[in-house]
C-alpha cells in the first residue's frame, strides 16, 4: 500500500503531510509514557522486524500479493503512540533508501499505513481485551482480529484520500470495491503474522508486551504431588501473580534481530513477485497513469537491490540486511532519545519515600 508520487495531487499531499506531522508530534509526547529502559530497545527492534517482514510478499489472489503493514503489531507490542513512530521510521527508510513509497506522498503513506492502522487496530484490540477473559490466548485472539480489520481500514482510508485528491478520473466506487476486496484477503495474512508474533513474545516476555500489561497467572499449590488452584476463599491478590519472564531482554533482542536479518537477507528471495494490492488495483483501474519517477530512483538500494551487484539473490539479500541494520539503528536512536527525555519524579511524595 505504499503510494507512489503522482497518485495524489499536491494540495492533498500537503494536507496529509500536516496531519502526519501532527500525529508524529503527538506520538512523540505519548511515547514518553510508553517507553522506558526496558521497552525502548524493543521498539527499535519492532521497527526493524516490520521492515523485514514487509519484504515478504505473500500471494493472496490470482496475480496479486500482499505484505505486512505492521501498525497492529507495533501498537500491541510497544503501544499505540510508539507504534505510529515505528511504522513511520520504516516508511521513511523505505522512501529515502529503497525508493519504495513516494517522497511527496510520505504524508499520505504515514497517515494511511501508520496512523489509520495503529488507531483502528488498537481500538479494536482494547475493546476485545475488555470483553474476553484476561489471558494469553485472549490477547492473541484480540491481536488477530485487530490486525485483520486494520488492513481494509487502511484501504478505505486510501480510497477516501484518492476521492479527494486523485490525479486520474476513475470511478471511486470501482477503486473502493477493488481496494477493500483485495485488502480483506491481505488482512488475513496480516492477522496471522501479528497473532503469531505477539503470541511468541508473550510466551517468553509478557511483561514487555504493552497490550498484555496486567496479565496474570493463576497460582497453584502442590497437594499430594498434584498441582491444584489456590482455594477460591483466598483474596484475588493471593490467588494470582504476574506471569514470569522466561528469557532475558538481551536474548529476546538478539533473537529478534537475527530473525529479522534472516527474513530480510534470505527468506525475502522467495517472496511472491506479483504486484501488491495497491499496485494491482492501480494497474487494473488506471490510477497509475500519472505516477511519477521516484526522487530516489537512483539510490544504490533502489528496488531492494544493491547497485552493481549482478547476482539477484546476493543483491536482494544485502539490501535487506542493510535495511534491517539501518532501521534498527535509526529506530533505536529515536526511541532512546524519546525515553531519555522523560523527567524523573521529584514530587515531595517521591523524594520523601526515597
Amino acid at each position: 500500500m505504499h503510494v507512489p508520487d503522482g497518485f495524489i495531487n499536491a494540495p492533498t499531499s500537503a494536507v496529509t503531510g500536516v496531519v502526519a506531522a501532527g500525529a508524529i508530534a503527538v506520538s512523540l509526547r505519548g511515547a514518553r509514557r510508553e517507553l522506558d529502559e526496558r521497552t525502548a530497545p524493543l521498539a527499535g527492534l519492532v521497527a526493524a522486524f516490520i521492515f523485514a517482514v514487509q519484504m515478504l510478499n505473500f500471494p493472496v489472489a490470482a496475480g496479486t500479493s500482499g505484505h505486512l503493514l505492521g501498525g497492529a503489531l507495533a501498537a500491541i507490542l510497544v503501544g499505540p503512540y510508539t507504534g505510529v513512530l515505528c511504522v513511520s521510521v520504516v516508511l521513511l527508510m523505505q522512501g529515502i533508501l529503497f525508493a519504495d513509497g513516494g517522497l511527496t506522498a510520505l504524508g499520505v503513506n504515514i497517515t494511511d499505513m501508520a496512523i489509520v492502522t495503529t488507531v483502528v487496530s488498537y481500538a479494536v484490540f482494547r475493546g476485545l481485551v475488555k470483553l474476553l477473559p484476561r489471558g494469553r490466548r485472549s490477547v492473541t485472539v484480540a491481536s488477530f482480529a485487530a490486525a485483520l480489520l486494520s488492513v481494509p481500514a487502511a484501504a478505505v482510508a486510501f480510497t477516501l484520500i484518492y476521492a479527494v485528491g486523485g490525479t486520474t478520473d476513475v470511478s471511486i466506487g470501482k477503486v473502493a470495491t477493488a481496494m477493500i476486496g483485495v485488502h480483506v484477503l491481505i488482512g488475513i495474512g496480516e492477522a496471522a503474522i501479528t497473532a503469531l508474533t505477539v503470541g511468541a513474545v508473550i510466551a517468553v516476555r509478557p511483561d514487555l508486551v504493552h497490550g498484555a500489561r496486567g496479565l496474570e497467572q493463576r497460582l497453584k499449590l502442590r497437594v499430594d504431588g498434584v498441582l491444584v488452584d489456590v482455594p477460591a476463599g483466598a483474596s484475588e491478590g493471593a490467588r494470582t501473580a504476574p506471569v514470569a519472564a522466561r528469557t532475558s531482554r538481551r536474548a529476546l533482542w538478539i533473537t529478534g534481530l537475527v530473525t529479522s536479518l534472516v527474513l530480510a537477507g534470505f527468506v525475502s528471495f522467495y517472496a511472491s513477485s506479483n504486484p501488491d494490492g495497491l499496485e494491482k488495483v492501480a494497474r487494473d483501474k488506471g490510477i497509475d497513469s500519472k505516477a511519477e519517477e521516484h526522487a530516489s530512483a537512483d539510490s544504490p538500494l533502489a528496488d531492494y537491490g544493491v547497485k552493481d551487484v549482478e547476482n539477484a539473490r546476493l543483491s536482494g539479500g544485502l539490501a535487506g540486511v542493510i535495511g534491517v541494520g539501518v532501521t534498527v539503528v535509526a529506530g533505536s536512536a529515536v526511541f532512546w532519545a524519546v525515553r531519555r527525555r522523560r523527567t524523573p519524579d521529584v514530587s515531595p511524595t517521591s523524594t520523601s519515600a526515597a
Side-chain angles (χ1 to χ4, degrees):
M1 200 176 290
H2 294 76
V3 179
D5 295 317
F7 273 31
I8 306 298
N9 62 32
T12 305
S13 296
V15 171
T16 56
V18 172
V19 172
I24 289 175
V26 172
S27 297
L28 286 170
R29 292 180 61 87
R32 297 178 197 173
R33 300 190 297 271
E34 294 173 346
L35 295 172
D36 56 29
E37 66 280 357
R38 300 181 311 142
T39 56
L42 178 62
L45 177 62
V46 168
F49 182 78
I50 290 173
F51 175 91
V53 180
Q54 283 196 0
M55 294 183 66
L56 308 180
N57 281 47
F58 48 84
V60 294
T64 309
S65 69
H67 62 70
L68 182 81
L69 297 185
L73 177 62
I76 295 166
L77 287 180
V78 293
Y81 295 107
T82 309
V84 170
L85 299 178
C86 280
V87 181
S88 297
V89 168
V90 173
L91 292 172
L92 186 62
M93 295 299 102
Q94 290 171 332
I96 294 175
L97 298 178
F98 297 90
D100 189 10
L103 296 183
T104 62
L106 186 59
V108 175
N109 286 322
I110 290 177
T111 299
D112 193 26
M113 296 177 64
I115 301 171
V116 172
T117 59
T118 300
V119 171
V120 171
S121 63
Y122 199 69
V124 172
F125 175 80
R126 295 310 308 175
L128 289 176
V129 165
K130 290 180 180 179
L131 295 175
L132 296 172
R134 189 65 172 164
R136 293 180 181 177
R137 184 173 300 177
S138 296
V139 174
T140 303
V141 170
S143 301
F144 185 95
L148 176 63
L149 293 176
S150 70
V151 179
V156 171
F158 168 78
T159 303
L160 294 175
I161 293 172
Y162 194 83
V164 174
T167 56
T168 55
D169 186 15
V170 179
S171 169
I172 298 303
K174 293 182 179 180
V175 173
T177 301
M179 282 292 292
I180 296 171
V182 71
H183 283 91
V184 167
L185 298 177
I186 294 173
I188 297 173
E190 177 104 10
I193 295 170
T194 300
L196 288 172
T197 305
V198 171
V201 178
I202 287 180
V204 295
R205 287 306 299 256
D207 57 312
L208 297 181
V209 178
H210 183 87
R213 288 182 177 178
L215 190 65
E216 296 178 333
Q217 61 185 350
R218 184 69 59 179
L219 291 179
K220 293 181 179 293
L221 296 176
R222 187 175 296 278
V223 179
D224 296 330
V226 179
L227 290 176
V228 298
D229 290 334
V230 173
S235 65
E236 184 64 23
R239 290 187 287 124
T240 59
V243 179
R246 297 184 179 181
T247 189
S248 67
R249 295 198 305 272
R250 177 177 295 180
L252 175 64
W253 196 90
I254 293 174
T255 301
L257 180 60
V258 170
T259 301
S260 299
L261 291 171
V262 170
L263 292 175
F266 177 73
V267 180
S268 62
F269 181 79
Y270 301 97
S272 173
S273 60
N274 291 329
D276 65 24
L278 177 59
E279 289 175 321
K280 178 66 172 175
V281 172
R283 293 180 186 179
D284 290 347
K285 304 303 178 183
I287 64 177
D288 62 348
S289 60
K290 294 187 178 181
E292 301 172 1
E293 185 179 17
H294 200 286
S296 299
D298 58 349
S299 167
L301 299 173
D303 296 324
Y304 297 95
V306 178
K307 189 176 182 179
D308 298 328
V309 176
E310 296 182 359
N311 184 285
R313 185 190 297 268
L314 179 60
S315 177
L318 287 175
V321 169
I322 292 170
V324 168
V326 171
T327 303
V328 75
V329 169
S332 298
V334 170
F335 300 126
W336 192 259
V338 171
R339 185 206 69 87
R340 287 175 61 87
R341 293 184 64 181
R342 297 177 65 191
T343 56
D345 184 5
V346 292
S347 63
T349 301
S350 174
T351 54
S352 63

Coordinates of all heavy atoms in Angstrom, one line a residue, residues 312-350:
A312 N 21.2 -11.7 -8.3 CA 19.9 -11.2 -7.8 C 19.7 -11.6 -6.3 O 19.3 -10.8 -5.5 CB 18.7 -11.7 -8.6
R313 N 20.1 -12.8 -6.0 CA 19.9 -13.3 -4.6 C 20.8 -12.5 -3.7 O 20.4 -12.1 -2.6 CB 20.3 -14.8 -4.6 CG 20.0 -15.4 -3.2 CD 20.6 -16.8 -3.2 NE 20.0 -17.7 -4.1 CZ 18.9 -18.5 -3.8 NH1 18.4 -18.5 -2.6 NH2 18.4 -19.3 -4.7
L314 N 22.1 -12.4 -4.1 CA 23.0 -11.6 -3.2 C 22.6 -10.2 -3.1 O 22.7 -9.6 -2.0 CB 24.4 -11.8 -3.8 CG 25.5 -11.0 -3.0 CD1 25.6 -11.6 -1.6 CD2 26.9 -11.2 -3.7
S315 N 22.2 -9.6 -4.2 CA 21.8 -8.2 -4.2 C 20.7 -7.9 -3.3 O 20.7 -7.0 -2.5 CB 21.5 -7.7 -5.7 OG 21.1 -6.4 -5.7
G316 N 19.6 -8.7 -3.4 CA 18.4 -8.5 -2.6 C 18.7 -8.8 -1.1 O 18.2 -8.1 -0.2
G317 N 19.5 -9.9 -0.9 CA 19.9 -10.2 0.5 C 20.6 -9.1 1.2 O 20.4 -8.8 2.3
L318 N 21.6 -8.6 0.5 CA 22.4 -7.5 1.1 C 21.6 -6.3 1.3 O 21.7 -5.6 2.4 CB 23.6 -7.1 0.1 CG 24.7 -8.1 0.0 CD1 25.7 -7.7 -1.1 CD2 25.5 -8.2 1.4
A319 N 20.7 -5.9 0.4 CA 19.8 -4.8 0.6 C 18.9 -5.0 1.8 O 18.7 -4.1 2.6 CB 18.9 -4.6 -0.7
G320 N 18.4 -6.2 2.0 CA 17.6 -6.5 3.1 C 18.3 -6.4 4.4 O 17.8 -5.8 5.4
V321 N 19.5 -6.9 4.5 CA 20.4 -6.8 5.7 C 20.7 -5.4 6.0 O 20.6 -4.9 7.2 CB 21.6 -7.7 5.5 CG1 22.6 -7.4 6.6 CG2 21.3 -9.1 5.5
I322 N 21.0 -4.6 5.0 CA 21.3 -3.2 5.2 C 20.1 -2.5 5.7 O 20.2 -1.6 6.6 CB 21.8 -2.5 3.9 CG1 23.2 -3.1 3.5 CG2 22.0 -1.0 4.0 CD1 23.7 -2.7 2.1
G323 N 19.0 -2.8 5.1 CA 17.7 -2.1 5.5 C 17.4 -2.4 7.0 O 17.0 -1.5 7.7
V324 N 17.5 -3.7 7.4 CA 17.3 -4.0 8.8 C 18.2 -3.3 9.7 O 17.8 -2.7 10.8 CB 17.4 -5.5 9.0 CG1 17.4 -5.9 10.5 CG2 16.2 -6.3 8.3
G325 N 19.5 -3.3 9.3 CA 20.5 -2.6 10.2 C 20.3 -1.1 10.3 O 20.3 -0.6 11.4
V326 N 20.0 -0.4 9.2 CA 19.7 1.0 9.2 C 18.4 1.3 10.0 O 18.4 2.2 10.8 CB 19.6 1.6 7.8 CG1 19.1 3.0 7.8 CG2 20.9 1.5 7.1
T327 N 17.4 0.5 9.8 CA 16.2 0.7 10.5 C 16.3 0.5 12.0 O 15.8 1.3 12.8 CB 15.1 -0.2 10.0 OG1 14.9 0.0 8.6 CG2 13.7 0.1 10.6
V328 N 17.0 -0.5 12.5 CA 17.1 -0.8 13.9 C 18.0 0.3 14.5 O 17.7 0.7 15.7 CB 17.7 -2.2 14.2 CG1 19.2 -2.2 13.9 CG2 17.4 -2.6 15.6
V329 N 19.0 0.8 13.8 CA 19.8 1.9 14.4 C 19.0 3.2 14.5 O 19.0 3.9 15.5 CB 21.1 2.1 13.5 CG1 21.8 3.4 13.9 CG2 22.0 0.9 13.7
A330 N 18.3 3.5 13.4 CA 17.5 4.8 13.4 C 16.4 4.7 14.4 O 16.2 5.7 15.1 CB 17.0 5.0 11.9
G331 N 15.7 3.6 14.4 CA 14.6 3.5 15.3 C 15.0 3.5 16.8 O 14.5 4.2 17.6
S332 N 16.1 2.8 17.1 CA 16.6 2.7 18.4 C 17.1 4.1 18.9 O 16.9 4.5 20.0 CB 17.8 1.7 18.5 OG 17.3 0.4 18.3
A333 N 17.7 4.9 18.0 CA 18.1 6.2 18.3 C 17.0 7.1 18.7 O 17.0 7.9 19.6 CB 19.0 6.8 17.2
V334 N 15.9 7.0 17.8 CA 14.7 7.8 18.1 C 14.1 7.5 19.4 O 13.8 8.3 20.3 CB 13.7 7.7 17.0 CG1 12.3 8.3 17.3 CG2 14.2 8.3 15.7
F335 N 13.9 6.2 19.7 CA 13.2 5.7 20.9 C 14.0 5.9 22.1 O 13.5 6.2 23.2 CB 12.7 4.3 20.7 CG 11.8 4.1 19.5 CD1 12.1 3.1 18.6 CD2 10.7 4.9 19.4 CE1 11.2 3.0 17.5 CE2 9.8 4.7 18.3 CZ 10.1 3.8 17.4
W336 N 15.3 5.8 22.0 CA 16.2 6.0 23.1 C 16.2 7.5 23.5 O 16.1 7.9 24.7 CB 17.6 5.6 22.8 CG 18.5 5.5 24.0 CD1 19.4 6.5 24.4 CD2 18.5 4.5 25.0 NE1 20.0 6.1 25.6 CE2 19.5 4.9 26.0 CE3 17.8 3.4 25.2 CZ2 19.7 4.1 27.1 CZ3 18.0 2.6 26.3 CH2 19.0 3.0 27.3
A337 N 16.2 8.4 22.5 CA 16.1 9.8 22.7 C 14.8 10.2 23.4 O 14.7 11.0 24.3 CB 16.3 10.6 21.4
V338 N 13.7 9.6 22.9 CA 12.4 9.9 23.5 C 12.4 9.4 24.9 O 11.9 10.1 25.8 CB 11.3 9.2 22.7 CG1 9.9 9.3 23.4 CG2 11.2 9.8 21.3
R339 N 12.9 8.3 25.2 CA 12.9 7.7 26.6 C 13.8 8.6 27.5 O 13.4 8.9 28.6 CB 13.5 6.3 26.6 CG 13.5 5.6 27.9 CD 14.5 4.6 28.0 NE 15.8 5.1 28.1 CZ 16.4 5.6 29.2 NH1 15.8 5.5 30.3 NH2 17.6 6.1 29.1
R340 N 14.9 9.1 27.0 CA 15.8 9.9 27.8 C 15.2 11.2 28.2 O 15.6 11.9 29.1 CB 17.1 10.1 27.1 CG 18.0 8.9 27.0 CD 19.2 9.1 26.2 NE 20.0 10.2 26.8 CZ 21.0 10.0 27.7 NH1 21.2 8.8 28.2 NH2 21.7 11.0 28.2
R341 N 14.2 11.7 27.4 CA 13.5 13.0 27.7 C 12.5 12.9 28.8 O 12.0 13.9 29.2 CB 12.9 13.5 26.4 CG 13.9 13.9 25.3 CD 13.2 14.5 24.2 NE 12.6 15.8 24.5 CZ 11.9 16.5 23.7 NH1 11.7 16.1 22.4 NH2 11.3 17.7 24.1
R342 N 12.2 11.7 29.3 CA 11.3 11.5 30.4 C 12.0 12.1 31.7 O 13.1 11.9 32.0 CB 11.0 10.1 30.7 CG 10.3 9.4 29.5 CD 10.0 8.0 29.8 NE 9.1 7.8 31.0 CZ 8.9 6.6 31.6 NH1 9.5 5.6 31.2 NH2 8.0 6.6 32.5
T343 N 11.2 13.0 32.4 CA 11.8 13.6 33.6 C 11.5 12.8 34.8 O 10.4 12.2 34.9 CB 11.2 15.0 33.8 OG1 9.7 14.9 33.8 CG2 11.5 15.9 32.6
P344 N 12.5 12.7 35.7 CA 12.2 11.9 36.9 C 11.2 12.5 37.8 O 11.0 13.7 37.8 CB 13.6 11.9 37.6 CG 14.3 13.1 37.1 CD 13.8 13.3 35.7
D345 N 10.6 11.7 38.7 CA 9.6 12.2 39.6 C 10.3 12.8 40.8 O 11.0 12.2 41.5 CB 8.7 11.0 40.1 CG 7.6 11.5 41.0 OD1 7.4 12.7 41.2 OD2 6.9 10.6 41.5
V346 N 10.1 14.2 40.9 CA 10.7 14.9 42.0 C 9.7 15.5 42.9 O 9.9 16.5 43.6 CB 11.6 16.0 41.5 CG1 12.8 15.4 40.7 CG2 10.9 17.0 40.5
S347 N 8.5 14.9 42.9 CA 7.4 15.3 43.8 C 7.8 15.1 45.3 O 8.6 14.3 45.6 CB 6.1 14.6 43.5 OG 6.3 13.2 43.8
P348 N 7.2 15.9 46.2 CA 7.5 15.7 47.6 C 7.3 14.2 48.1 O 8.1 13.7 48.9 CB 6.6 16.6 48.3 CG 6.3 17.7 47.3 CD 6.3 17.0 46.0
T349 N 6.3 13.6 47.6 CA 6.0 12.2 48.0 C 7.1 11.3 47.5 O 7.6 10.5 48.3 CB 4.7 11.7 47.3 OG1 3.6 12.6 47.8 CG2 4.4 10.3 47.8
S350 N 7.6 11.5 46.3 CA 8.7 10.7 45.8 C 10.0 10.9 46.5 O 10.6 9.9 46.9 CB 8.9 11.0 44.3 OG 10.0 10.3 43.8

